[in-house]
Amino acid sequence: MTQTTSNIVMIRPANFFSNPETRASNRFQKPGQDDAAAQERARAEFDGYVAALRAAGVSVLVIDDEPQGNTPDAIFPNNWISTHPDGRVFLYPMEAPNRRRERRDSVIARIRAQYRVSELADLSAFEAEGKFLEGTGSMVFDHAHRLAYVCLSSRSHPEVLAALLLRLGYQALVFDAVDRGGAAIYHTNVMMAVGRKLAVVCLEAIQPAAARQQVHGQLQRHGKQVIDIDYTQMENFCGNVIELADAAGNAVFAMSSRAWQAFSPAQQAMFIAHGTVVHAPLDTIEHLGGGGARCMVAENFLPPRR
């Protein structure tokens, strides 16, 4: 399986606001304006990001969220769905009850209309047991090495992870990662990202030191050039980046403008040396939603219909 894709799915928000059902475990969410103005700002940010990705050669399938769906986090579809080159689609168990409504049959139907789906593997039954695994938020994949990096939290349960890994034939490197206040980081993809040649990780968040060294060493053994970010950079969503590809297979690094500006000049140069950087302002989405550029992207590895 390739590490990157030029095809992605994104959900345009219809009723975006700061989700009260996720605030307890998502310390990246901040208090702020929750009204129609916030929705309009979020939608404008979404459209600007989509336009920037398309201009860089990324193919974006945009699906509108349902206006009456009461799904404030629908803009983050990577948490409930992942796709794979053999045609499999996995659906994931979500911690917040109102996020479970994001798993819409109509979204799957839109994807099926353009891409071949061989199996729909639904793991959502684990929700009844209070066990969750929120897709490529909980897991950061190194597909070339069939490995998932996973920081433990209430949203990343080992039993669900084991069930998924068995189906995928992957292994996992599981570790604890905490914010500067000592609270578990809710999703792995806000503190690290893995691309073909580059990896971004907030090493100081990984505890204890032995685990930090294990993650760093594994990345290096797998040929990744590591961009080590600090807590301040992580809080500015520098860990929430994703490597995509253009139609020719060249690297496209997608992130928010806030994240790009928080990288040092030397770190920015590392991205530029390996591909095209795409960034767009996502301040409202990051502030109220506690997720950013990577969370908004569901990678599409499915084979297209001919």
Side-chain angles (χ1 to χ4, degrees), residues 5-285:
T5 178
S6 61
N7 297 306
I8 63 175
V9 177
M10 297 179 67
I11 307 295
R12 181 183 282 118
N15 191 26
F16 176 82
F17 56 89
S18 186
N19 189 351
E21 295 187 15
T22 60
R23 288 176 191 163
S25 59
N26 183 350
R27 302 297 182 92
F28 287 74
Q29 282 182 254
K30 306 299 180 186
Q33 191 176 27
D34 284 338
D35 57 16
Q39 156 63 19
E40 290 305 311
R41 289 196 305 272
R43 188 162 186 144
E45 291 172 4
F46 175 93
D47 290 341
Y49 184 33
V50 169
L53 289 167
R54 285 173 170 166
V58 178
S59 177
V60 187
L61 172 60
V62 173
I63 302 173
D64 288 318
D65 189 28
E66 294 178 350
Q68 306 305 320
N70 189 23
T71 49
D73 285 331
I75 198 170
F76 304 131
N78 77 306
N79 297 146
W80 67 267
I81 188 171
S82 71
T83 66
H84 302 264
D86 60 5
R88 285 187 294 176
V89 173
F90 284 86
L91 306 181
Y92 293 93
M94 308 288 285
E95 182 178 57
N98 67 5
R99 293 215 62 189
R100 299 167 193 174
R101 293 193 288 269
E102 297 172 28
R103 293 190 304 259
R104 287 166 38 207
D105 292 340
S106 58
V107 173
I108 303 299
R110 282 287 305 277
I111 295 171
R112 283 183 184 273
Q114 298 184 35
Y115 298 90
R116 296 201 303 272
V117 175
S118 61
E119 179 187 358
L120 198 61
D122 190 350
L123 301 174
S124 64
F126 280 102
E127 288 167 352
E129 303 175 33
K131 299 170 182 176
F132 315 112
L133 185 72
E134 297 190 339
T136 54
S138 292
M139 303 170 289
V140 172
F141 286 124
D142 181 346
H143 292 299
H145 297 94
R146 306 183 75 81
L147 179 67
Y149 292 89
V150 183
C151 71
L152 292 175
S153 75
S154 63
R155 305 195 194 189
S156 302
H157 195 282
E159 187 175 333
V160 192
L161 176 63
L164 175 72
L165 296 176
L166 183 64
R167 299 286 297 272
L168 288 179
Y170 279 33
Q171 294 183 320
L173 200 167
V174 179
F175 54 92
D176 290 308
V178 298
D179 63 21
R180 67 170 75 241
I185 293 174
Y186 79 108
H187 276 163
T188 313
N189 77 352
V190 293
M191 54 82 58
M192 73 178 297
V194 175
R196 287 178 286 188
K197 296 180 180 179
L198 287 182
V200 179
V201 60
C202 183
L203 288 173
E204 70 175 327
I206 301 174
Q207 305 293 335
R212 186 181 312 140
Q213 294 165 0
Q214 183 182 23
V215 171
H216 189 229
Q218 186 74 286
L219 290 168
Q220 289 185 318
R221 283 191 296 275
H222 287 163
K224 311 300 181 185
Q225 191 173 359
V226 177
I227 299 176
D228 182 14
I229 58 175
D230 59 25
Y231 271 132
T232 299
Q233 290 177 306
M234 182 185 74
E235 292 158 357
N236 282 284
F237 291 88
C238 288
N240 198 235
V241 306
I242 182 170
E243 182 182 338
L244 300 168
D246 62 19
N250 302 307
V252 176
F253 298 102
M255 64 190 73
S256 70
S257 296
R258 174 183 175 185
W260 176 245
Q261 292 158 8
F263 282 111
S264 71
Q267 292 169 332
Q268 291 177 343
M270 293 171 69
F271 285 111
I272 293 170
H274 286 87
T276 299
V277 175
V278 171
H279 64 86
L282 301 173
D283 295 347
T284 303
I285 295 167

